[in-house]
């Protein structure tokens, strides 16, 4: 709730976006998490949050594939 409140006042707050992505990934909502992290990369690509977001995107994409494959098989 706190991160959502921050985004109401500052919709491009990269730390809040990054952490919302992390919370979504913890709930296995990888597509939504990747969307948050992609916004971070778009807004602040050269920052620490941008670098971390790119790494998280790679990880979440792979986990999404693994879980999707496991559910199909």
């Amino acid at each position: 709730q706190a991160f959502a409140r921050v985004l109401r006042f500052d919709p491009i707050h990269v730390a809040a976006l990054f952490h919302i992505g992390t919370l979504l990934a913890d709930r296995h909502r990888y597509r939504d998490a990747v969307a948050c992290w992609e916004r971070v990369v778009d807004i602040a690509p050269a920052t620490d949050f941008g670098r971390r977001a790119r790494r998280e995107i790679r990880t979440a994409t792979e986990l999404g594939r693994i879980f999707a494959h496991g559910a199909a098989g």
Side-chain angles (χ1 to χ4, degrees):
Q1 289 178 339
F3 296 126
R5 189 175 306 129
V6 169
L7 291 177
R8 266 199 315 265
F9 295 102
D10 183 3
I12 60 169
H13 193 282
V14 292
L17 287 167
F18 179 84
H19 291 297
I20 287 173
T22 301
L23 292 171
L24 290 166
D26 288 345
R27 291 175 176 82
H28 302 265
R29 293 178 52 191
Y30 298 115
R31 266 184 264 169
D32 295 331
V34 167
C36 282
W37 292 323
E38 285 174 341
R39 285 194 64 206
V40 170
V41 172
D42 290 343
I43 295 165
T47 66
D48 185 50
F49 279 114
R51 287 185 288 279
R52 290 170 60 192
R54 281 191 294 279
R55 184 180 65 231
E56 295 297 336
I57 289 168
R58 287 190 299 272
T59 301
T61 301
E62 186 61 29
L63 286 172
R65 284 188 200 124
I66 290 169
F67 285 122
H69 181 65

